[in-house]
Amino acid sequence: MTHWIIAPIVLPALLAPFIVLAARYHINIQRVISVAGALSLMTIAAGLVWQTSDGTILLYQLGDWAAPFGIVLVGDRLSTLMVLLTAVLALFVLLYAIGSGWDDRGRHFHALFQFQLMGIVGAFLTGDLFNLFVFFEVLLIASYGLMIHAGGNARLRAGVQYVLFNLIGSTLFLFALGSIYAETGTLNMADLAQRVSQIGAEETVGIRVAAVLLLLVFAIKAALVPLHFWLPSSYAEAPAPVAALFSIMTKVGVYAIIRVYTMIFPPDLAVTAGMHDVWLLPAALVSLAIGMIGVLAAKRLDRLVAFSIIGSMGMVMVAISFFTPEGIATALYYTLHSTLSGAALFLIVDLVRTGRANLDLSSQPVMAGASLTAGLFFVGAIAMTGMPPLSGFLGKLLLLDAAYNTDLMVWIWAIVLGSSLISIVGFVRAGSVLFWKARSIEAPDDVEDTQRPVALSYCAVGGLIALIVALTVFGGQVHGYTKTIAAQLFAPEPYIAAVLDTPGKLSTPKKEDH
Protein backbone atom coordinates (compact mmCIF):
# COMPACT_ATOMS: atom_id res chain seq x y z
CA MET A 1 0.00 0.00 0.00
CA THR A 2 1.52 3.30 -1.11
CA HIS A 3 0.98 6.41 0.99
CA TRP A 4 1.74 8.87 -1.82
CA ILE A 5 -1.73 8.50 -3.27
CA ILE A 6 -3.33 10.27 -0.30
CA ALA A 7 -0.86 13.16 -0.43
CA PRO A 8 -2.75 15.15 -3.13
CA ILE A 9 -5.78 15.20 -0.81
CA VAL A 10 -4.02 15.74 2.51
CA LEU A 11 -1.76 18.54 1.22
CA PRO A 12 -4.49 21.08 0.34
CA ALA A 13 -6.58 19.88 3.30
CA LEU A 14 -3.74 20.94 5.64
CA LEU A 15 -2.76 24.11 3.80
CA ALA A 16 -6.29 25.58 3.80
CA PRO A 17 -6.76 25.79 7.61
CA PHE A 18 -3.11 26.77 8.06
CA ILE A 19 -3.62 29.76 5.75
CA VAL A 20 -6.73 30.82 7.67
CA LEU A 21 -5.16 30.42 11.12
CA ALA A 22 -1.58 31.57 10.54
CA ALA A 23 -1.69 33.99 7.60
CA ARG A 24 -5.19 35.42 7.53
CA TYR A 25 -4.04 39.05 7.34
CA HIS A 26 -0.85 38.52 5.33
CA ILE A 27 -1.69 38.18 1.65
CA ASN A 28 1.93 37.74 0.56
CA ILE A 29 2.44 34.83 2.94
CA GLN A 30 -0.80 33.28 1.67
CA ARG A 31 0.48 33.61 -1.88
CA VAL A 32 3.78 31.94 -1.08
CA ILE A 33 2.06 29.06 0.69
CA SER A 34 -0.46 28.56 -2.11
CA VAL A 35 2.12 28.59 -4.88
CA ALA A 36 4.37 26.24 -2.94
CA GLY A 37 1.41 23.93 -2.37
CA ALA A 38 0.45 24.00 -6.06
CA LEU A 39 4.03 23.19 -7.09
CA SER A 40 4.16 20.35 -4.58
CA LEU A 41 0.81 19.02 -5.76
CA MET A 42 1.98 19.08 -9.37
CA THR A 43 5.20 17.25 -8.45
CA ILE A 44 3.32 14.56 -6.52
CA ALA A 45 0.78 14.18 -9.33
CA ALA A 46 3.56 13.78 -11.90
CA GLY A 47 5.09 11.06 -9.72
CA LEU A 48 1.76 9.24 -9.50
CA VAL A 49 1.32 9.40 -13.27
CA TRP A 50 4.80 7.94 -13.68
CA GLN A 51 4.01 5.11 -11.25
CA THR A 52 0.76 4.17 -12.99
CA SER A 53 1.97 4.63 -16.57
CA ASP A 54 2.94 0.95 -16.82
CA GLY A 55 -0.47 -0.25 -15.66
CA THR A 56 0.20 -0.28 -11.91
CA ILE A 57 -2.89 0.11 -9.72
CA LEU A 58 -2.10 2.15 -6.61
CA LEU A 59 -4.19 1.47 -3.51
CA TYR A 60 -4.50 3.21 -0.14
CA GLN A 61 -6.73 1.79 2.60
CA LEU A 62 -7.62 4.44 5.17
CA GLY A 63 -7.12 3.03 8.67
CA ASP A 64 -5.86 -0.17 7.01
CA TRP A 65 -9.50 -1.28 6.64
CA ALA A 66 -9.86 -3.59 3.66
CA ALA A 67 -12.42 -2.96 0.94
CA PRO A 68 -15.35 -3.08 0.66
CA PHE A 69 -15.74 -2.22 4.36
CA GLY A 70 -13.13 0.52 4.53
CA ILE A 71 -12.52 3.70 2.56
CA VAL A 72 -10.05 3.23 -0.27
CA LEU A 73 -8.25 5.54 -2.64
CA VAL A 74 -7.33 4.06 -5.99
CA GLY A 75 -4.93 5.42 -8.56
CA ASP A 76 -4.83 4.14 -12.11
CA ARG A 77 -3.87 5.77 -15.39
CA LEU A 78 -7.14 7.71 -15.67
CA SER A 79 -7.37 9.08 -12.13
CA THR A 80 -3.71 10.10 -11.89
CA LEU A 81 -3.86 11.85 -15.28
CA MET A 82 -6.86 13.89 -14.11
CA VAL A 83 -5.06 14.77 -10.87
CA LEU A 84 -2.05 15.99 -12.86
CA LEU A 85 -4.30 18.05 -15.14
CA THR A 86 -5.91 19.62 -12.07
CA ALA A 87 -2.54 20.42 -10.49
CA VAL A 88 -1.11 22.00 -13.65
CA LEU A 89 -4.23 24.08 -14.22
CA ALA A 90 -4.29 25.18 -10.57
CA LEU A 91 -0.72 26.48 -10.74
CA PHE A 92 -1.33 28.73 -13.73
CA VAL A 93 -4.69 29.91 -12.43
CA LEU A 94 -3.08 30.76 -9.09
CA LEU A 95 -0.32 32.72 -10.78
CA TYR A 96 -2.91 34.70 -12.70
CA ALA A 97 -4.94 35.39 -9.56
CA ILE A 98 -1.82 36.77 -7.89
CA GLY A 99 -0.69 38.79 -10.90
CA SER A 100 -4.11 40.33 -11.47
CA GLY A 101 -4.77 40.95 -7.78
CA TRP A 102 -8.01 38.95 -7.79
CA ASP A 103 -6.91 37.06 -4.70
CA ASP A 104 -6.80 40.32 -2.71
CA ARG A 105 -10.29 41.54 -3.64
CA GLY A 106 -12.01 39.44 -1.00
CA ARG A 107 -11.26 37.25 2.00
CA HIS A 108 -10.00 33.67 2.21
CA PHE A 109 -9.37 33.21 -1.51
CA HIS A 110 -6.33 30.98 -1.03
CA ALA A 111 -7.91 28.85 1.69
CA LEU A 112 -11.00 28.24 -0.44
CA PHE A 113 -8.77 27.54 -3.43
CA GLN A 114 -7.01 24.77 -1.50
CA PHE A 115 -10.30 23.27 -0.32
CA GLN A 116 -11.48 23.31 -3.92
CA LEU A 117 -8.40 21.38 -5.00
CA MET A 118 -8.99 18.90 -2.20
CA GLY A 119 -12.53 18.21 -3.43
CA ILE A 120 -11.58 17.88 -7.09
CA VAL A 121 -8.57 15.64 -6.47
CA GLY A 122 -10.51 13.51 -3.98
CA ALA A 123 -13.28 12.94 -6.52
CA PHE A 124 -10.71 11.61 -8.98
CA LEU A 125 -8.98 9.29 -6.51
CA THR A 126 -11.81 7.85 -4.43
CA GLY A 127 -12.69 4.20 -4.87
CA ASP A 128 -16.31 4.27 -3.69
CA LEU A 129 -19.43 6.15 -4.66
CA PHE A 130 -20.29 7.54 -1.23
CA ASN A 131 -16.96 9.30 -0.92
CA LEU A 132 -17.41 10.56 -4.46
CA PHE A 133 -20.56 12.23 -3.12
CA VAL A 134 -18.60 13.62 -0.15
CA PHE A 135 -15.93 15.14 -2.38
CA PHE A 136 -18.64 16.55 -4.65
CA GLU A 137 -20.00 18.41 -1.64
CA VAL A 138 -16.56 19.64 -0.59
CA LEU A 139 -15.88 21.13 -4.00
CA LEU A 140 -19.42 22.53 -4.17
CA ILE A 141 -19.05 24.42 -0.88
CA ALA A 142 -15.60 25.72 -1.76
CA SER A 143 -16.66 26.68 -5.29
CA TYR A 144 -19.58 28.73 -3.96
CA GLY A 145 -17.22 30.68 -1.70
CA LEU A 146 -14.86 31.27 -4.61
CA MET A 147 -17.66 32.21 -6.96
CA ILE A 148 -18.94 35.09 -4.83
CA HIS A 149 -15.38 36.23 -4.07
CA ALA A 150 -15.19 40.06 -4.23
CA GLY A 151 -18.99 40.33 -3.95
CA GLY A 152 -21.52 41.99 -6.23
CA ASN A 153 -25.26 41.45 -6.68
CA ALA A 154 -24.95 39.77 -10.08
CA ARG A 155 -22.29 37.40 -8.78
CA LEU A 156 -24.33 36.57 -5.68
CA ARG A 157 -27.46 35.92 -7.76
CA ALA A 158 -25.55 33.61 -10.12
CA GLY A 159 -23.98 31.89 -7.12
CA VAL A 160 -27.35 31.15 -5.56
CA GLN A 161 -28.58 29.70 -8.85
CA TYR A 162 -25.42 27.59 -9.08
CA VAL A 163 -25.82 26.22 -5.56
CA LEU A 164 -29.53 25.46 -5.89
CA PHE A 165 -29.06 23.57 -9.13
CA ASN A 166 -26.17 21.55 -7.74
CA LEU A 167 -28.08 20.81 -4.54
CA ILE A 168 -30.73 19.19 -6.70
CA GLY A 169 -27.95 17.06 -8.15
CA SER A 170 -26.72 16.19 -4.66
CA THR A 171 -30.22 15.10 -3.63
CA LEU A 172 -30.53 12.87 -6.66
CA PHE A 173 -27.09 11.48 -5.88
CA LEU A 174 -28.23 10.46 -2.40
CA PHE A 175 -31.33 8.78 -3.83
CA ALA A 176 -29.13 6.89 -6.28
CA LEU A 177 -26.74 5.79 -3.53
CA GLY A 178 -29.64 4.60 -1.39
CA SER A 179 -31.04 2.56 -4.27
CA ILE A 180 -27.67 1.01 -5.05
CA TYR A 181 -26.97 0.10 -1.43
CA ALA A 182 -30.43 -1.38 -1.02
CA GLU A 183 -29.89 -3.60 -4.06
CA THR A 184 -26.24 -4.59 -3.55
CA GLY A 185 -25.22 -3.84 0.06
CA THR A 186 -22.08 -1.98 -1.01
CA LEU A 187 -20.90 1.31 -2.51
CA ASN A 188 -17.33 0.33 -3.28
CA MET A 189 -16.87 0.61 -7.06
CA ALA A 190 -14.83 -2.55 -7.45
CA ASP A 191 -17.25 -4.55 -5.31
CA LEU A 192 -20.21 -3.07 -7.19
CA ALA A 193 -18.71 -4.16 -10.49
CA GLN A 194 -18.90 -7.76 -9.30
CA ARG A 195 -22.27 -7.64 -7.55
CA VAL A 196 -24.19 -5.76 -10.24
CA SER A 197 -23.12 -8.31 -12.84
CA GLN A 198 -24.70 -11.06 -10.69
CA ILE A 199 -28.15 -9.44 -10.36
CA GLY A 200 -30.85 -11.55 -11.95
CA ALA A 201 -33.06 -10.30 -14.76
CA GLU A 202 -36.14 -10.30 -12.50
CA GLU A 203 -34.52 -8.00 -9.88
CA THR A 204 -33.30 -5.15 -12.05
CA VAL A 205 -35.77 -2.35 -11.25
CA GLY A 206 -33.86 -0.76 -8.38
CA ILE A 207 -30.47 -0.91 -10.03
CA ARG A 208 -31.84 0.48 -13.30
CA VAL A 209 -33.35 3.44 -11.43
CA ALA A 210 -30.00 4.02 -9.71
CA ALA A 211 -28.14 3.89 -13.02
CA VAL A 212 -30.42 6.55 -14.52
CA LEU A 213 -30.19 8.77 -11.43
CA LEU A 214 -26.41 8.60 -11.45
CA LEU A 215 -26.33 9.57 -15.10
CA LEU A 216 -28.55 12.57 -14.35
CA VAL A 217 -26.27 13.64 -11.49
CA PHE A 218 -23.12 13.39 -13.57
CA ALA A 219 -24.84 15.12 -16.49
CA ILE A 220 -25.60 18.07 -14.20
CA LYS A 221 -21.94 18.26 -13.20
CA ALA A 222 -20.92 18.05 -16.86
CA ALA A 223 -23.50 20.69 -17.93
CA LEU A 224 -25.13 18.38 -20.47
CA VAL A 225 -28.27 19.74 -22.15
CA PRO A 226 -30.96 20.06 -20.82
CA LEU A 227 -29.19 20.22 -17.43
CA HIS A 228 -26.83 23.03 -18.41
CA PHE A 229 -28.79 26.12 -17.35
CA TRP A 230 -26.63 26.80 -14.31
CA LEU A 231 -23.38 27.15 -16.28
CA PRO A 232 -23.56 30.30 -18.49
CA SER A 233 -24.38 32.78 -15.72
CA SER A 234 -22.27 31.02 -13.11
CA TYR A 235 -19.10 30.96 -15.19
CA ALA A 236 -19.65 34.38 -16.72
CA GLU A 237 -20.17 36.12 -13.36
CA ALA A 238 -17.44 34.28 -11.44
CA PRO A 239 -14.05 35.97 -10.99
CA ALA A 240 -11.80 35.14 -13.94
CA PRO A 241 -9.38 32.83 -12.07
CA VAL A 242 -12.31 31.00 -10.50
CA ALA A 243 -14.02 30.53 -13.87
CA ALA A 244 -10.72 29.22 -15.26
CA LEU A 245 -10.44 26.70 -12.42
CA PHE A 246 -14.07 25.73 -12.99
CA SER A 247 -12.99 24.42 -16.41
CA ILE A 248 -11.87 21.25 -14.62
CA MET A 249 -15.07 20.94 -12.59
CA THR A 250 -17.22 19.94 -15.54
CA LYS A 251 -14.59 17.28 -16.22
CA VAL A 252 -15.38 15.74 -12.83
CA GLY A 253 -18.75 14.81 -14.32
CA VAL A 254 -16.99 13.44 -17.40
CA TYR A 255 -14.66 11.37 -15.24
CA ALA A 256 -17.54 9.98 -13.18
CA ILE A 257 -19.49 8.92 -16.28
CA ILE A 258 -16.44 7.21 -17.76
CA ARG A 259 -15.55 5.45 -14.49
CA VAL A 260 -19.04 4.30 -13.50
CA TYR A 261 -20.29 3.33 -16.96
CA THR A 262 -17.22 1.36 -17.95
CA MET A 263 -16.74 -0.45 -14.62
CA ILE A 264 -20.07 -0.76 -12.79
CA PHE A 265 -22.56 -0.44 -15.68
CA PRO A 266 -20.55 -1.35 -18.80
CA PRO A 267 -22.25 -1.28 -22.21
CA ASP A 268 -22.46 -5.08 -22.41
CA LEU A 269 -24.20 -5.43 -19.03
CA ALA A 270 -27.63 -6.89 -19.69
CA VAL A 271 -29.17 -5.32 -16.55
CA THR A 272 -28.74 -1.75 -17.79
CA ALA A 273 -28.34 -2.29 -21.53
CA GLY A 274 -29.58 0.64 -23.62
CA MET A 275 -30.20 2.92 -20.64
CA HIS A 276 -27.27 5.29 -21.09
CA ASP A 277 -25.59 4.65 -24.42
CA VAL A 278 -28.82 5.18 -26.39
CA TRP A 279 -29.78 8.52 -24.83
CA LEU A 280 -26.36 10.01 -24.21
CA LEU A 281 -25.47 10.59 -27.86
CA PRO A 282 -28.56 12.68 -28.77
CA ALA A 283 -28.14 14.79 -25.62
CA ALA A 284 -24.46 15.29 -26.44
CA LEU A 285 -25.20 16.38 -30.02
CA VAL A 286 -27.84 18.84 -28.80
CA SER A 287 -25.36 20.18 -26.21
CA LEU A 288 -22.77 20.70 -28.93
CA ALA A 289 -25.23 22.53 -31.16
CA ILE A 290 -26.72 24.71 -28.42
CA GLY A 291 -23.31 25.59 -27.03
CA MET A 292 -21.99 26.83 -30.36
CA ILE A 293 -25.23 28.63 -31.25
CA GLY A 294 -24.86 30.37 -27.88
CA VAL A 295 -21.36 31.44 -28.93
CA LEU A 296 -22.81 33.05 -32.04
CA ALA A 297 -25.69 34.71 -30.18
CA ALA A 298 -23.73 35.96 -27.14
CA LYS A 299 -23.66 39.72 -26.58
CA ARG A 300 -20.94 39.62 -23.92
CA LEU A 301 -17.51 38.05 -24.18
CA ASP A 302 -17.72 36.19 -20.86
CA ARG A 303 -20.99 34.51 -21.84
CA LEU A 304 -19.54 33.65 -25.24
CA VAL A 305 -16.73 31.71 -23.56
CA ALA A 306 -19.19 30.10 -21.13
CA PHE A 307 -21.30 28.79 -24.02
CA SER A 308 -18.16 27.51 -25.73
CA ILE A 309 -17.57 25.38 -22.62
CA ILE A 310 -21.02 23.83 -23.08
CA GLY A 311 -20.19 23.12 -26.71
CA SER A 312 -16.86 21.53 -25.85
CA MET A 313 -18.55 19.36 -23.23
CA GLY A 314 -20.97 18.24 -25.92
CA MET A 315 -18.00 17.23 -28.04
CA VAL A 316 -16.52 15.20 -25.20
CA MET A 317 -19.85 13.51 -24.50
CA VAL A 318 -20.33 12.57 -28.14
CA ALA A 319 -17.05 10.64 -27.98
CA ILE A 320 -17.97 9.03 -24.65
CA SER A 321 -21.40 7.96 -25.93
CA PHE A 322 -19.79 5.46 -28.32
CA PHE A 323 -18.56 3.50 -25.28
CA THR A 324 -15.70 2.04 -27.29
CA PRO A 325 -11.97 2.20 -26.54
CA GLU A 326 -11.50 4.54 -29.50
CA GLY A 327 -14.30 6.83 -28.31
CA ILE A 328 -13.05 6.99 -24.72
CA ALA A 329 -9.47 7.68 -25.89
CA THR A 330 -10.74 10.53 -28.06
CA ALA A 331 -12.85 11.89 -25.21
CA LEU A 332 -9.85 11.95 -22.87
CA TYR A 333 -7.66 13.72 -25.43
CA TYR A 334 -10.36 16.33 -26.03
CA THR A 335 -10.87 16.67 -22.29
CA LEU A 336 -7.24 17.75 -21.91
CA HIS A 337 -7.62 20.21 -24.77
CA SER A 338 -10.94 21.74 -23.70
CA THR A 339 -9.81 22.19 -20.10
CA LEU A 340 -6.69 24.12 -21.08
CA SER A 341 -8.32 26.16 -23.85
CA GLY A 342 -11.39 27.02 -21.75
CA ALA A 343 -9.24 28.15 -18.81
CA ALA A 344 -7.02 30.23 -21.09
CA LEU A 345 -10.02 31.96 -22.65
CA PHE A 346 -11.54 32.87 -19.28
CA LEU A 347 -8.25 34.47 -18.25
CA ILE A 348 -8.05 36.28 -21.59
CA VAL A 349 -11.56 37.61 -20.95
CA ASP A 350 -10.20 39.23 -17.80
CA LEU A 351 -7.34 40.77 -19.76
CA VAL A 352 -9.88 42.20 -22.18
CA ARG A 353 -11.90 43.54 -19.24
CA THR A 354 -8.94 45.68 -18.18
CA GLY A 355 -9.38 49.22 -19.42
CA ARG A 356 -12.90 48.65 -20.79
CA ALA A 357 -16.16 49.80 -19.31
CA ASN A 358 -17.69 46.34 -19.71
CA LEU A 359 -17.44 43.10 -21.70
CA ASP A 360 -20.21 43.94 -24.16
CA LEU A 361 -19.34 43.02 -27.73
CA SER A 362 -19.42 46.64 -28.86
CA SER A 363 -16.84 49.14 -30.04
CA GLN A 364 -15.02 50.72 -27.11
CA PRO A 365 -11.66 52.40 -26.62
CA VAL A 366 -8.60 50.18 -26.95
CA MET A 367 -7.80 48.36 -23.71
CA ALA A 368 -4.34 48.35 -22.15
CA GLY A 369 -2.00 45.82 -23.76
CA ALA A 370 -4.42 45.35 -26.67
CA SER A 371 -1.91 43.92 -29.14
CA LEU A 372 -0.66 41.13 -26.87
CA THR A 373 -4.17 40.40 -25.61
CA ALA A 374 -5.43 40.22 -29.18
CA GLY A 375 -2.71 37.72 -30.07
CA LEU A 376 -3.57 35.51 -27.10
CA PHE A 377 -7.28 35.72 -27.92
CA PHE A 378 -6.52 34.73 -31.53
CA VAL A 379 -4.66 31.60 -30.42
CA GLY A 380 -7.28 30.73 -27.79
CA ALA A 381 -10.09 31.12 -30.33
CA ILE A 382 -8.30 28.87 -32.82
CA ALA A 383 -7.92 26.24 -30.11
CA MET A 384 -11.52 26.38 -28.91
CA THR A 385 -13.11 26.38 -32.37
CA GLY A 386 -11.01 23.41 -33.48
CA MET A 387 -9.23 25.12 -36.36
CA PRO A 388 -5.87 23.80 -37.54
CA PRO A 389 -3.15 23.46 -36.49
CA LEU A 390 -3.86 23.26 -32.74
CA SER A 391 -5.06 20.36 -30.59
CA GLY A 392 -8.76 21.16 -31.02
CA PHE A 393 -8.44 20.30 -34.70
CA LEU A 394 -6.71 17.02 -33.88
CA GLY A 395 -9.39 16.17 -31.33
CA LYS A 396 -12.19 16.73 -33.84
CA LEU A 397 -10.42 14.60 -36.43
CA LEU A 398 -10.16 11.81 -33.86
CA LEU A 399 -13.87 12.20 -33.04
CA LEU A 400 -14.91 12.04 -36.70
CA ASP A 401 -12.75 8.96 -37.16
CA ALA A 402 -14.25 7.27 -34.07
CA ALA A 403 -17.74 8.00 -35.41
CA TYR A 404 -17.03 6.65 -38.88
CA ASN A 405 -18.56 3.20 -38.36
CA THR A 406 -21.49 4.25 -36.16
CA ASP A 407 -25.12 4.18 -37.25
CA LEU A 408 -25.47 7.96 -36.87
CA MET A 409 -22.24 8.89 -38.63
CA VAL A 410 -23.94 11.36 -40.99
CA TRP A 411 -25.66 13.21 -38.15
CA ILE A 412 -22.52 13.28 -36.04
CA TRP A 413 -20.32 14.58 -38.85
CA ALA A 414 -22.92 17.18 -39.88
CA ILE A 415 -23.41 18.55 -36.36
CA VAL A 416 -19.70 18.51 -35.45
CA LEU A 417 -18.64 20.28 -38.65
CA GLY A 418 -21.63 22.63 -38.66
CA SER A 419 -21.13 23.65 -35.03
CA SER A 420 -17.45 24.23 -35.73
CA LEU A 421 -18.34 26.67 -38.49
CA ILE A 422 -20.83 28.45 -36.24
CA SER A 423 -18.26 28.79 -33.45
CA ILE A 424 -15.69 30.19 -35.88
CA VAL A 425 -18.17 32.86 -37.00
CA GLY A 426 -18.96 33.69 -33.35
CA PHE A 427 -15.34 34.07 -32.29
CA VAL A 428 -14.42 36.03 -35.44
CA ARG A 429 -17.28 38.43 -34.75
CA ALA A 430 -16.14 38.91 -31.17
CA GLY A 431 -12.50 39.42 -32.12
CA SER A 432 -13.27 41.94 -34.83
CA VAL A 433 -15.47 44.00 -32.50
CA LEU A 434 -13.03 43.91 -29.61
CA PHE A 435 -9.75 44.50 -31.39
CA TRP A 436 -10.34 45.74 -34.93
CA LYS A 437 -13.24 48.16 -34.62
CA ALA A 438 -11.78 49.47 -31.37
CA ARG A 439 -8.84 50.87 -33.36
CA SER A 440 -10.99 53.70 -34.66
CA ILE A 441 -11.69 54.99 -31.15
CA GLU A 442 -9.15 56.96 -29.18
CA ALA A 443 -7.80 55.24 -26.11
CA PRO A 444 -8.45 56.96 -22.78
CA ASP A 445 -5.54 58.77 -21.17
CA ASP A 446 -6.77 58.31 -17.62
CA VAL A 447 -6.42 54.53 -17.29
CA GLU A 448 -4.62 53.95 -14.03
CA ASP A 449 -1.48 51.85 -13.94
CA THR A 450 -3.17 49.48 -11.50
CA GLN A 451 -5.69 48.67 -14.21
CA ARG A 452 -3.06 47.51 -16.65
CA PRO A 453 -2.28 43.80 -16.78
CA VAL A 454 1.03 42.90 -15.21
CA ALA A 455 3.62 40.54 -16.64
CA LEU A 456 2.67 37.66 -14.33
CA SER A 457 -0.87 37.65 -15.72
CA TYR A 458 0.40 37.36 -19.26
CA CYS A 459 2.87 34.66 -18.21
CA ALA A 460 0.06 32.57 -16.72
CA VAL A 461 -2.04 32.81 -19.88
CA GLY A 462 1.04 32.20 -22.01
CA GLY A 463 1.78 29.07 -19.99
CA LEU A 464 -1.66 27.64 -20.76
CA ILE A 465 -1.25 28.49 -24.44
CA ALA A 466 2.15 26.79 -24.40
CA LEU A 467 0.53 23.65 -22.96
CA ILE A 468 -2.04 23.69 -25.78
CA VAL A 469 0.81 23.91 -28.30
CA ALA A 470 2.62 21.05 -26.53
CA LEU A 471 -0.59 18.99 -26.61
CA THR A 472 -0.58 19.55 -30.38
CA VAL A 473 3.09 18.81 -30.98
CA PHE A 474 2.98 15.66 -28.86
CA GLY A 475 -0.56 14.78 -29.92
CA GLY A 476 0.45 11.34 -31.16
CA GLN A 477 2.10 10.38 -27.90
CA VAL A 478 -0.71 11.83 -25.79
CA HIS A 479 -3.39 10.07 -27.83
CA GLY A 480 -1.39 6.85 -27.56
CA TYR A 481 -1.44 7.22 -23.79
CA THR A 482 -5.18 7.89 -23.75
CA LYS A 483 -5.62 4.67 -25.77
CA THR A 484 -3.79 2.73 -23.05
CA ILE A 485 -6.09 4.37 -20.49
CA ALA A 486 -9.15 3.29 -22.48
CA ALA A 487 -7.79 -0.24 -22.76
CA GLN A 488 -7.35 -0.36 -18.98
CA LEU A 489 -10.89 0.92 -18.43
CA PHE A 490 -12.42 -1.77 -20.62
CA ALA A 491 -10.43 -4.48 -18.82
CA PRO A 492 -11.14 -3.62 -15.16
CA GLU A 493 -10.12 -6.98 -13.69
CA PRO A 494 -6.70 -5.76 -12.42
CA TYR A 495 -8.40 -2.74 -10.79
CA ILE A 496 -10.98 -4.96 -9.07
CA ALA A 497 -8.34 -7.43 -7.96
CA ALA A 498 -6.10 -4.72 -6.55
CA VAL A 499 -8.94 -3.30 -4.46
CA LEU A 500 -10.57 -6.50 -3.23
CA ASP A 501 -7.64 -8.91 -2.93
CA THR A 502 -5.81 -7.02 -0.16
CA PRO A 503 -7.62 -8.03 3.06
CA GLY A 504 -6.33 -6.00 5.99
CA LYS A 505 -2.61 -5.97 5.23
CA LEU A 506 -0.09 -3.77 3.54
CA SER A 507 0.15 -4.69 -0.12
CA THR A 508 2.40 -4.00 -3.03
CA PRO A 509 1.07 -2.25 -6.13
CA LYS A 510 -0.46 -4.55 -8.71
CA LYS A 511 0.07 -4.31 -12.43
CA GLU A 512 -2.02 -5.27 -15.40
CA ASP A 513 -1.31 -8.52 -17.16
CA HIS A 514 0.40 -7.73 -20.43
Side-chain angles (χ1 to χ4, degrees), residues 32 103 145 185 293 330 474 495:
V32 170
D103 62 331
I293 292 173
T330 299
F474 299 101
Y495 182 106

Side-chain angles (χ1 to χ4, degrees), residues 102 105-109 112-113 116 139-166 229-246 249 303 306 346:
W102 267 108
R105 300 183 192 180
R107 302 186 65 183
H108 306 307
F109 175 88
L112 290 170
F113 193 91
Q116 179 81 350
L139 66 88
L140 173 62
I141 295 170
S143 62
Y144 178 68
L146 288 172
M147 188 174 175
I148 62 174
H149 180 75
N153 290 332
R155 191 166 294 148
L156 181 61
R157 184 165 52 251
V160 171
Q161 178 187 14
Y162 166 79
V163 169
L164 289 177
F165 213 92
N166 279 274
F229 296 106
W230 60 271
L231 190 146
S233 296
S234 301
Y235 280 38
E237 298 296 341
V242 176
L245 182 63
F246 281 8
M249 282 180 54
R303 293 187 69 86
F346 275 118

Side-chain angles (χ1 to χ4, degrees), residues 485-507:
I485 294 175
Q488 188 178 52
L489 289 170
F490 281 91
E493 292 79 11
Y495 182 106
I496 297 171
V499 174
L500 299 181
D501 292 353
T502 51
K505 63 178 185 298
L506 294 179
S507 60

